[in-house]
Amino acid sequence: MRYIEPHAHMVSRVTDDYERMALAGCEAVCEPAFWAGFDRSSAAGFYDYFCQLTEYEPKRAAKFGLKHFCWLCINPKEAEDVKLAREVIALIPKFLERPNVLGIGEIGLNKNSRNELKVLEMQVDFAAWHNQLILVHTPHLEDKLKGTRLILDVLKNDKRIRPEHVIIDHVEEHTVGLVLDAGHWAGMTLYPETKCSPARAIDILETYGNERLWLNSACDWGVSDPLAVPKTALEMKKHGHLAAVIDKVIFQNPKTFLGQCPKFKI
Ligand SMILES: [Zn+2]
């Protein structure tokens, strides 16, 4: 089995996780910028985080033959403070040309607040201006449908954004159709407790087909499983999915989307 982990927060994981992922067939891991589990007190905290994502983490992954890529942004959970968001966005240009940076993400909404929406628009504008791919985080539980609709409107209203350059992550049964119909890619996040279980993800694949969809673990500092993607692939095999179909979902699809950034080479 070979796969790409397109969404994992490796700064929160131990080195043994890199080894386990490599043993399971992982060929590349991609790390969107996200919340640290606590609010940073200043933009300087983000500067250090961006250095960690672009300098230190690729070296840690390389020890296990794994390529490490990342996405940069201020995440929606810390986007309530618009002044801080402006300061963080101003830091990004000096990191954009670094060899493992794929685009802007994970931007999006958390509580669907007015300030989060303003910061989302700022970052979509930034991505369009710099011709970057976009990775979007959608809110949890009851906020997800409304948040997904708001996000789709923001993307649609910016005529510079090409839908195929955007992946909307953490989709579920009630949002995946909206995302695919808008021409975007959709990511299913496999979490042990919330978000998608392997069984639900397989149902979604069987309902919507396997075009413009990918699977990720989004493993972070919380209850999560860095091997969720290969474990789901095994479940797909048990369901009778052909090896070529499994390879498309866990390897070819992320490779196609991410390959729109010339820096993504594996
Ligand atoms: Zn994430």
Side-chain angles (χ1 to χ4, degrees):
M1 191 191 301
R2 60 177 181 173
Y3 76 100
I4 293 166
E5 172 54 80
H7 188 148
H9 299 291
M10 299 307 292
V11 300
S12 309
R13 309 299 310 190
V14 296
T15 301
D16 290 355
D17 289 334
Y18 276 121
E19 184 178 38
R20 291 161 67 215
M21 291 163 79
L23 286 168
C26 188
E27 298 205 359
V29 52
C30 309
E31 178 152 6
F34 196 50
W35 193 48
F38 61 92
D39 289 347
R40 293 147 175 114
S41 60
S42 71
F46 285 87
Y47 182 89
D48 290 345
Y49 179 46
F50 295 161
C51 289
Q52 187 180 13
L53 290 176
T54 55
E55 294 168 15
Y56 180 68
E57 219 50 48
K59 288 185 196 147
R60 206 157 72 104
K63 286 183 188 150
F64 302 95
L66 268 171
K67 293 233 178 187
H68 179 282
F69 298 92
C70 71
W71 300 75
L72 303 177
C73 74
I74 179 162
N75 65 84
K77 275 181 91 83
E78 285 171 281
E80 200 51 59
D81 182 343
V82 179
K83 180 173 168 286
L84 174 69
R86 277 191 216 287
E87 290 169 10
V88 174
I89 294 167
L91 294 173
I92 296 175
K94 66 164 76 85
F95 290 93
L96 268 189
E97 295 310 315
R98 293 198 172 182
N100 73 329
V101 176
L102 297 175
I104 300 304
E106 54 190 296
I107 59 173
L109 296 172
N110 178 49
K111 295 282 177 208
N112 300 334
S113 74
R114 195 179 290 257
N115 282 353
E116 287 174 15
L117 203 53
K118 185 174 176 59
V119 173
L120 171 65
E121 287 167 348
M122 284 159 51
Q123 297 198 95
V124 168
D125 174 69
F126 181 93
W129 187 255
H130 293 273
N131 194 25
Q132 297 290 310
L133 297 177
I134 294 175
L135 190 150
V136 180
H137 166 98
T138 48
H140 305 282
L141 306 173
E142 74 274 16
D143 295 323
K144 187 176 289 289
L145 182 59
K146 184 182 174 209
T148 301
R149 288 204 172 109
L150 288 168
I151 289 163
L152 290 174
D153 282 346
V154 169
L155 292 165
K156 199 167 119 190
N157 289 339
D158 193 321
K159 299 296 172 217
R160 299 165 297 173
I161 299 295
R162 287 170 58 186
E164 68 274 21
H165 284 179
V166 181
I167 177 119
I168 300 204
D169 221 328
H170 319 318
V171 299
E172 291 179 16
E173 292 84 347
H174 59 311
T175 58
V176 59
L178 289 174
V179 169
L180 293 175
D181 286 349
H184 303 302
W185 287 67
M188 287 181 280
T189 298
L190 306 155
Y191 255 27
E193 291 171 351
T194 56
K195 301 184 179 155
C196 251
S197 64
R200 284 173 62 198
I202 293 169
D203 276 349
I204 291 173
L205 286 168
E206 289 172 355
T207 308
Y208 289 90
N210 52 32
E211 294 297 334
R212 285 186 286 123
L213 278 163
W214 78 26
L215 300 171
N216 61 70
S217 75
C219 59
D220 57 13
W221 35 262
V223 177
S224 49
D225 180 3
L227 295 183
V229 172
K231 285 178 183 172
T232 303
L234 199 57
E235 282 300 310
M236 288 180 75
K237 194 174 173 186
K238 286 192 215 161
H239 273 239
H241 289 275
L242 298 174
V245 170
I246 297 170
D247 187 67
K248 177 168 169 57
V249 173
I250 66 173
F251 184 78
Q252 296 292 349
N253 279 1
K255 185 166 175 268
T256 301
F257 176 79
L258 298 166
Q260 296 181 101
C261 171
K263 286 187 257 178
F264 186 82
K265 288 199 179 76
I266 55 169

